[in-house]
Amino acid sequence: MPPSDRDSSVENVPVRAPGVPGILRRSLAKLLSSAHLVLSGTTASILVIIFLGSLFVFVALRNHHRDEIRARTFQLTRLSSLIENDIAELENYHRGFLLTHRSQYFAPFQERRTAMKKRLEELNGRLLDNPVQRKRVIKAQDIVLRWADQVAQPAFLGQSAPSTASDTSSALTLSNASLDQARWILQSLKDEEQIFLSQRAGEQEMATQSTQILDSLPKLERAVIEMNKEKRGFLLTNDTVFLETYRRSVENFYRYHAYLTILAGDAPRRTQLLSDIRSNLERWISSSAQPEINAKQQGRDISVMIGKDQSEQLINQIQRTIAEFQRNELASYDAGSSAAVRHRIWSTIGLLTLVLVVALLISSNTYSLALVRRNLSKLGAAEIRIRAIIENILDGMIIVDHAGTITLMNPAAERLFGCGKHEMLNQAFLTLVPQAYNTEADLQLVDWEEFTKRTGTTVLAVGRTRRHVTFPIEISLAKMTVDQSTLYVAMIRDVTERKRFEREIAAEKENLAVTLRSIGDGVITTDVQGKIIMINQAAEALTGWTAEEAKGHPLKSVFKISIDLAAPTRGQRSTYRNEAYSLLLKLPSNATLVSRDGTEHLIEQVVSPIRDRRNEVAGVVLVFRDIIEREHKQLGLLAGGIAHDFNNLLTAIMGNISLASLLIPATDEMTTRLADAKNASMRARDLAQQLLTFARGGAPIKKTASLTRLVQDTVSFCLRGSQSRSECDLEDNLLPSEIDSGQISQVIANLVVNAEQAMPTGGTLHVTCENFRHGSGKNATVPDLPSGEFVKITIRDEGVGIPEQNLKRIFDPYFTTKPKGNGLGLATAYSIVKHHKGLITVESEVNKGSTFTLYLPAATHVAVPEETGYAGVKELSGTGRVLIVDDEEAIRTLVEFTLTHLGYKVCSAATALEGVELYRQKLQAGERFDCVILDLTLPGGMGGRDALKLLLEIDPSVNAIVSSGYAMDATMSHYQDFGFRGVITKPYEAAELGRTVREVIESGRIKLVPDLDLQAVG
């Protein structure tokens, strides 16, 4: 067999391991196959990395555990040694006090006791995981503290000081017995910890130089303390046991000192400290301890010797030197421990890095082999994903070459254009998209070359299906290069529904805009920063800003208000989160709005938040309205009520005065007095009428009249007694006008009085009246005046004039420049002229005078009625039955008395229902009333107008006169429209009452006569 065939046969024949189960053999063959060789090599590399890493982590954790054990044992051993030193020092201070009875030992005793207590608590804290040892330490703590509280401290405080040597000896023996048990407990704790450390960490862990030095230094200090303590015990008791213990302590000192000298042989600083400790101790022995012991043995008095402070100073110096040695060694120990830990960490990191490098080298070859196969798999998977995306996206996608020929259409595009699969391949793209919108939003035919220039943008176009059905589409065109060929990708979306939604939204916006334009309140919306988004027409009129000008401006620059300090505000100025919150919290409900041209409007406003879907404030909507009209209406109601009641009172007064004037002879002296009273009442009536006219523009009760006599009389009356004179130029054929003579006279009077006051040194008042025809359109010469025939009244003075800044405000209520003026005169005049459908204008120049012009509509087709008067009682007398319905008893009494004297039979009623019922009864009894006088306003809810409706149902030919001092009601000015035959305005005179009643009764009789004649003829 050739080698190649042999090799191939060996390669193809699977290796059979004798005794290997079938499953394991198949798994091994699968792993060694070419398909899974890469996976097997990678798995092996990962396992090697995990094994080596775990090994090094285990070593690091073991070393860290040993460090913890060593640190714990060192701390426990050191604390135990320090506590033993504290116990010995406490005994030393106690014996020093017993020996010298000096109080200076008490303070260091207390300090040492406190330090020992803290060390015992620290030791207990470190033994939380060993309850047995902790229990023993607590026992030692109780023994030491009990000795300190029951033996040592009472001795210091003089409560149980031993009085004899035998007592002192017994006390020292007791203290030794109790404290030795505590020392034994602490020593056993140190022994157990040393054994534990040897078992867990090995003997070499305790062989470090710093550890041995720190372990021996407390023993050296304890030997010094024991020497001093036992010396004092011998001096107190002369017991040789203490002397022997003293000598053992000296031997222990030299032994520990020699051991420490060997350990510190390589450090000069350590050797120097040990030398100082030994020299100071030997000086203490030779100068204090040995002389005191010899004196005690010889029986000499030692009180002088022990009273010296040199011994204590030497002992304190030795202890301070030992303490300094300990501090240095602790710092050295901590530094060495930290360095060892860092070294171990870096060693571990280095080893792990080495393991990782080796692992990477092992796996790099395996990874490089797997990379090619992975890339091939990715390419295949990417192709599948791209194809799946193209086929499943909802938008149509068409790929077009540089010539505009379709090379690919996804299923969504085929469904969109109604094409079969691959039907449109190699067809022109313009077949499907014949038209598109240009940048000016005009629809035009598509040119492919021009269309490709709009790459990277979104184009609105018109799509066309195979059946030539068109629909709106949106195209996003992108350019790409594949194999040096330029292709275009067109993403196409049907926007029919979106266009429909846009039309609906546009219609909703238009409806909203129409609504906002239609409402009378001003509406402004802003964003969260207070910038204006929208403003309606009413707001434009009040602010003086157009919507285009105001959009984007801060609200405070367009909506300028001066806050009414008397009105409650919603919140004080503080730090707000944004401008919207500021508007919601600080805008008052009432304020004065200053428009762009400076005009002021009294407004009320409501601010509400605009919230988004997250219920957060996205802006505010401000709704406001001009409330000056409402204020005037409210004032009008008040003024009307006052005027009504006032006119009722004046009716009684004037009626009685005029009645008295009629009844007494004209030559009587009381005639003059009654005339004065009548004139005063008339002025009071004019004042009430002026207040009523200003507040609600009191509806005029118009009658056709000539203005010639009215203007002459009013001007003459107002200038009577003044320094000024008048020049009247009145046209002869002046047209009549339908006016309320009293109101127009009031207007002229106000203007004449103002003119006379503007000429304090006197002057000439020029008054002209003329007919005026006003054209329309281009022929209009007076702004705001409609076309037609007018009577033009001009009043010109030669006074100080009106400053230009005040001209726009002279007709505003309460505006005045006079020190004692009330600002109602011109406001009342303006209101009266406006209700007569006329116009009042003003022109003025400072220091030259002012000119006021009135335009009143002329009554061109109505003749001026002739004035008829009644000279006396005979001319006013008449016959008939009269019913007076009025809630004022004084008026009922006056009318009944007056009409009775004029020859009428009078009945009265206080309410409308009572009057209607009385009329029904008299009608049924055949005593029909010839005239009924109804007050317009009556208590009980039913007024004169409603009462007349009931009377007309009872008697359609009822003759009714409406009477009221509340002339604002349309019933007074158009009484015929409501069925009344006459009207009489309160307050009225007796003559006016008699004349009106007589005219109504006679007109009723004249109307009834032809009817009776017709019936007779029939």
Side-chain angles (χ1 to χ4, degrees), residues 894-933:
L894 170 66
V895 172
E896 186 173 357
F897 182 82
T898 301
L899 295 181
T900 300
H901 276 75
L902 293 177
Y904 298 98
K905 295 181 180 180
V906 183
C907 295
S908 63
T911 64
L913 292 177
E914 183 181 347
V916 171
E917 183 61 28
L918 183 60
Y919 190 94
R920 178 186 290 107
Q921 293 175 2
K922 293 295 183 178
L923 182 65
Q924 292 175 354
E927 300 178 356
R928 175 181 176 273
F929 286 107
D930 298 296
C931 180
V932 180
I933 303 175

Side-chain angles (χ1 to χ4, degrees), residues 976-1007:
Q976 299 95 335
D977 297 340
F978 296 92
F980 290 99
R981 301 289 178 87
V983 60
I984 184 168
T985 305
K986 296 179 181 178
Y988 46 77
E989 304 178 43
E992 184 180 1
L993 174 64
R995 186 165 50 250
T996 303
V997 170
R998 182 173 178 174
E999 288 177 354
V1000 169
I1001 292 177
E1002 289 181 353
S1003 65
R1005 289 173 179 173
I1006 292 172
K1007 183 178 180 181

Side-chain angles (χ1 to χ4, degrees), residues 644 648 885-887 933-938 943-944 963-964 986:
H644 175 268
N648 282 339
V885 181
D886 199 298
D887 58 320
I933 303 175
L934 292 172
D935 188 9
L936 188 61
T937 305
L938 292 169
S963 173
S964 178
K986 296 179 181 178

Side-chain angles (χ1 to χ4, degrees), residues 707-708 710-711 715 730 734 739 744 747-748 751 766-772 790-796 839-841 851-856:
L707 289 170
T708 303
L710 185 144
V711 171
V715 172
L730 309 179
L734 195 66
I739 60 172
I744 296 301
V747 172
I748 296 173
L751 297 178
H766 302 274
V767 180
T768 61
C769 292
E770 58 183 338
N771 297 323
F772 178 77
F790 292 88
V791 176
K792 178 180 177 182
I793 305 173
T794 304
I795 302 175
R796 179 172 60 87
L839 179 67
I840 179 171
T841 63
T851 302
F852 285 85
T853 305
L854 301 180
Y855 298 92
L856 296 175

